[in-house]
Amino acid sequence: MTEPYTLAEDRAPKTRAEAVAFVRELTVRPDYFGTGYRRRDPFESDPAEWAVLGEDCLWRREALPGTVLASLTRAYELPAKDGKGPVYVSLTVTVHQDVVSARRDMAGSLEEALRCPEQQLNATDRVLGLFSRVDAFTDGRSVISDDDLTETGSWAADGAKPHPFDWYKFRMGPVTVAATARHGSGRTEAEDSAVTTDMGKGMTFVAASIDGKGRAGDAAEPTGTKGAGQ
């Protein structure tokens, strides 16, 4: 069986300054997610904050807890073209203080979808009908990480017609990587499937970079994939 990408705890950042440098130096190119993607504005979040889902099922940005060293979200978009609405992709890399903290974060993310199948992303965007699935490494899943979580549903802006919504999250030692895709209007089922698959491929490139950092101690850019999947 192919081994997953991972990051040994003794090779991971130990301080907040090291963690911020780690997430900022990590290469995440727009074309990781497919042809035509570009950076959104604003592009990067404050690495001293992260997104928290409140008891009211509303997402807010809050200061990091003591168990998290840094968390950086980068935003990308596939612009509207030929009658097809834009696709919005975000990717978040979070460095936890240890593997136990990262595992607890994964468990908490699974609980959030069960607690809030409908979530308010911001003032205008709402996610509907979220469904979560956890795939253990022993289940014969595609190999990327130590463990992962998938959520699917739909999203709507200002009461408009809903479109597909994807959310993936995986853990590599004490680091978690999460990505979302808000699909645009006017796409066929096959085109929506390609958006989902391409987002998964982009996460694989990021996983390869993190794995390479742990093995080589540098920010070598991935040239291929050790495991396949999304």
Side-chain angles (χ1 to χ4, degrees):
M1 180 179 291
T2 305
E3 290 300 314
Y5 290 121
T6 191
L7 178 66
E9 193 168 81
D10 61 359
R11 299 299 302 272
K14 299 297 188 296
T15 67
R16 291 207 161 180
E18 290 175 352
V20 169
F22 179 93
V23 295
R24 287 200 184 281
E25 291 169 2
L26 191 65
T27 299
V28 186
R29 298 200 319 245
D31 63 1
Y32 280 7
F33 306 104
T35 303
Y37 279 84
R38 66 187 185 191
R39 295 181 176 186
R40 292 192 71 192
D41 185 21
F43 174 53
E44 292 185 339
S45 67
D46 183 346
E49 298 178 346
W50 71 343
V52 175
L53 184 65
E55 292 299 321
D56 56 359
C57 299
L58 171 65
W59 285 97
R60 302 175 177 85
R61 294 200 63 80
E62 297 182 0
L64 297 178
T67 57
V68 179
L69 301 178
S71 185
L72 182 66
T73 298
R74 288 166 167 151
Y76 308 87
E77 69 176 336
L78 181 64
K81 184 178 180 181
D82 299 330
K84 299 172 185 176
V87 176
Y88 303 117
V89 171
S90 68
L91 186 134
T92 302
V93 179
T94 301
V95 181
H96 301 263
Q97 69 176 6
D98 50 34
V99 170
V100 172
S101 299
R103 285 176 171 166
R104 287 174 178 164
D105 181 50
M106 293 291 292
S109 293
L110 175 61
E111 186 274 334
E112 286 172 348
L114 299 175
R115 175 170 62 88
C116 294
E118 295 190 6
Q119 301 174 3
Q120 193 74 36
L121 298 180
N122 50 45
T124 60
D125 293 8
R126 187 171 183 82
V127 175
L128 313 168
L130 275 180
F131 173 80
S132 294
R133 186 181 76 246
V134 176
D135 295 320
F137 180 53
T138 55
D139 288 342
R141 64 176 173 82
S142 298
V143 178
I144 292 181
S145 58
D146 294 319
D147 53 70
D148 58 45
L149 171 64
T150 301
E151 291 184 2
T152 57
S154 58
W155 75 283
D158 288 329
K161 178 182 176 180
H163 302 292
F165 175 85
D166 300 307
W167 184 81
Y168 294 162
K169 186 171 184 174
F170 59 71
R171 179 182 64 81
M172 303 173 62
V175 175
T176 57
V177 180
T180 64
R182 286 176 287 164
H183 298 223
S185 61
R187 284 177 167 75
T188 65
E189 185 175 336
E191 289 170 327
D192 278 327
S193 180
V195 168
T196 301
T197 299
D198 287 344
M199 184 181 76
K201 289 179 180 178
M203 293 184 75
T204 303
F205 294 141
V206 176
S209 291
I210 294 172
D211 184 84
K213 276 177 170 287
R215 295 178 186 278
D218 58 29
E221 193 168 315
T223 56
T225 59
K226 179 168 60 176
Q230 56 189 44

